[in-house]
Amino acid sequence: MKLYEYEMQQERDDKIAHFLLIEEPEAHIHNHIQKTLFSNFESSNTQLFISTHSTQISSVAKVSSMNMISRKSHSSEVFWPANCLAPTTVTGVERYLDAMRSTLLFAKSVMLVEGDAEQILIPQLVKKILGVSLDEMGISLVNMDSTVFVHISSLFHSDRIRNYCSILTDRDASFLSGATDYANTEYISGLVRAQESGALREVALNTHCDGNEYLSVHFADNTFETELILARNSDLFIDVLPKLYSQQARINQWTDVLNSADPSRLCHTAIFLANKVGKGWFSITLSEHITADSNIPRYILEGIAHALTGHARQSIYEKIMDYRLGIIDQTYNDLRNIYDSWDNCVIAFRGILPEDPLLALIDME
């Protein structure tokens, strides 16, 4: 109503301009009304300023009209997300920024993933294995529902949003070797097509990220499911078999396969089981069986390490170290009581748990 009043006044008064400032309207307006109202704001005589934390409002606002304020360790920085972007790229960004993905505008750092399986399982893997959540690390995980990362990831750049973003995607390399006898089957043909597409995607994304310190891409050799099982997580897949099959003979059959040392058989089985019930549902079922002894695929750890650039890493690592030591009934304070520095604590921790995922993260800095 105030905007309407200003618009009408402009036609009959001599004021130079009208300005309307609205502070955090989401505190008083339902989500649906936020989107409806702010997607229909039109004014020709009034300059409108809105301060907001609402993903609903930001999902319908024009990226070219946004300014962002980001708090860093000793200062705050202002970003214009559309700076130096082509109009077609800005349009692409706006198309993808729905209410879920627009959370990246408020994140300290971001990980972009392909689909539901990653969105469901990666937060659970991190929380159960490292003992801290992605939110506690200051990382937002955003599901792109596709392999089209270029538009959204273009926002993260020294000219635009100076926060760190990791892209996690699949290389889709064929996991069946020596299968010449089956080269004409549709199954093998599908693997070959996926591998060719993955190779092109790898080149394109590496080129896209080249020279951009805020952006990095990390590939699963095959797919997320195959990378998960090859990271010594066969027990996770064995644990869900009773929920997929009622006959013990079938459970025993797949258990024998999942205990195999043949990577090709493991990869084939992981994809088969995921497709049997759908990757989303399969991921939910798997997530119920993750423990502190499970393993995070290396490419995911690499993505986390990049996203943590510029964060207070040591405080995060101290929490993780305390959690990991708790598995063997020790604490981080036990080390601090003996060693006088963080570096010496890391050396001691390396001697206690030499294969721990925390060490992989530290070594990736």
Side-chain angles (χ1 to χ4, degrees):
M1 293 299 294
K2 199 67 179 176
L3 181 62
Y4 180 75
E5 176 188 344
Y6 284 169
E7 291 291 292
M8 295 300 100
Q9 283 181 353
Q10 186 68 24
E11 297 180 0
R12 58 178 183 268
D13 63 28
D14 56 356
K15 291 184 175 64
I16 296 175
H18 287 111
F19 298 94
L20 179 60
L21 282 67
I22 306 176
E23 182 180 5
E24 298 192 357
E26 64 270 18
H28 308 284
I29 302 176
H30 187 276
N31 285 351
H32 292 167
I33 299 177
Q34 289 177 40
K35 295 183 71 172
T36 302
L37 183 61
F38 289 94
S39 62
N40 288 285
F41 261 141
E42 292 185 8
S43 59
S44 58
N45 301 314
T46 305
Q47 177 67 61
L48 181 65
F49 296 90
I50 303 171
S51 66
T52 183
H53 290 90
S54 170
T55 57
Q56 306 292 334
I57 294 174
S58 60
S59 69
V60 296
K62 290 186 178 298
V63 172
S64 56
S65 299
M66 291 183 186
N67 286 289
M68 295 172 52
I69 301 176
S70 178
R71 186 176 65 182
K72 303 297 184 180
S73 55
H74 300 294
S75 62
S76 293
E77 298 184 5
V78 179
F79 311 140
W80 181 26
N83 188 34
C84 298
L85 285 181
T88 53
T89 303
V90 173
T91 301
V93 170
E94 292 172 345
R95 184 180 301 116
Y96 277 96
L97 276 184
D98 58 18
M100 294 298 293
R101 299 187 186 107
S102 62
T103 57
L104 62 85
L105 296 173
F106 305 98
K108 291 183 179 179
S109 56
V110 174
M111 291 171 61
L112 303 179
V113 299
E114 280 192 22
D116 293 340
E118 292 91 338
Q119 184 183 30
I120 294 166
L121 274 173
I122 290 177
Q124 288 298 311
L125 286 167
V126 171
K127 181 64 176 178
K128 295 288 184 65
I129 297 171
L130 299 181
V132 296
S133 67
L134 289 175
D135 289 330
E136 290 175 273
M137 293 184 184
I139 300 174
S140 289
L141 188 142
V142 178
N143 178 3
M144 296 302 297
D145 283 326
S146 72
T147 59
V148 183
F149 296 99
V150 172
H151 290 311
I152 291 295
S153 63
S154 296
L155 291 173
F156 300 93
H157 190 276
S158 58
D159 292 333
R160 291 176 286 280
I161 301 176
R162 292 182 292 278
N163 294 332
Y164 290 86
C165 173
S166 298
I167 298 172
L168 302 184
T169 187
D170 301 337
R171 189 176 282 115
D172 286 325
S174 176
F175 50 78
L176 291 182
S177 58
T180 55
D181 292 341
Y182 307 97
N184 294 323
T185 67
E186 181 58 32
Y187 180 66
I188 300 300
S189 297
L191 291 176
V192 172
R193 288 193 299 270
Q195 178 170 282
E196 292 171 349
S197 176
L200 293 174
R201 182 165 63 252
E202 181 180 8
V203 172
L205 285 175
N206 280 330
T207 301
H208 174 62
C209 297
D210 186 40
N212 185 348
E213 66 172 301
Y214 294 96
L215 193 59
S216 67
V217 59
H218 309 274
F219 294 93
D221 284 338
N222 308 122
T223 67
F224 173 64
E225 290 80 10
T226 61
E227 205 76 13
L228 185 64
I229 198 169
L230 291 177
R232 305 189 309 279
N233 286 313
S234 292
D235 56 322
L236 280 179
F237 291 77
I238 292 172
D239 288 342
V240 304
L241 290 176
K243 296 186 177 181
L244 305 181
Y245 296 98
S246 58
Q247 295 181 348
Q248 189 61 44
R250 294 289 284 171
I251 294 174
N252 293 340
Q253 175 189 352
W254 286 114
T255 299
D256 290 341
V257 174
L258 289 167
N259 283 323
S260 168
D262 183 351
S264 294
R265 296 186 73 194
L266 290 175
C267 291
H268 167 74
T269 303
I271 295 297
F272 177 84
L273 294 176
N275 289 336
K276 176 179 172 60
V277 292
K279 289 189 175 184
W281 181 252
F282 188 68
S283 298
I284 293 172
T285 308
L286 278 178
S287 68
E288 297 170 357
H289 298 276
I290 297 171
T291 69
D293 294 323
S294 302
N295 296 289
I296 302 174
R298 183 174 178 82
Y299 83 107
I300 296 175
L301 289 174
E302 291 173 351
I304 293 172
H306 174 78
L308 284 176
T309 305
H311 291 225
R313 288 180 187 261
Q314 183 175 324
S315 62
I316 295 171
Y317 291 164
E318 286 174 348
K319 292 180 182 178
I320 297 174
M321 185 176 289
D322 189 60
Y323 174 79
R324 298 298 296 175
L325 287 170
I327 299 171
I328 55 173
D329 296 324
Q330 296 187 35
T331 68
Y332 172 62
N333 283 334
D334 294 336
L335 297 184
R336 288 293 294 147
N337 290 334
I338 301 173
Y339 302 100
D340 60 353
S341 70
W342 165 249
D343 288 340
N344 287 334
C345 285
V346 172
I347 294 172
F349 182 79
R350 197 180 295 274
I352 299 169
L353 297 171
E355 302 296 327
D356 199 83
L358 171 59
L359 296 173
L361 273 179
I362 293 173
D363 293 341
M364 289 172 185
E365 289 187 28

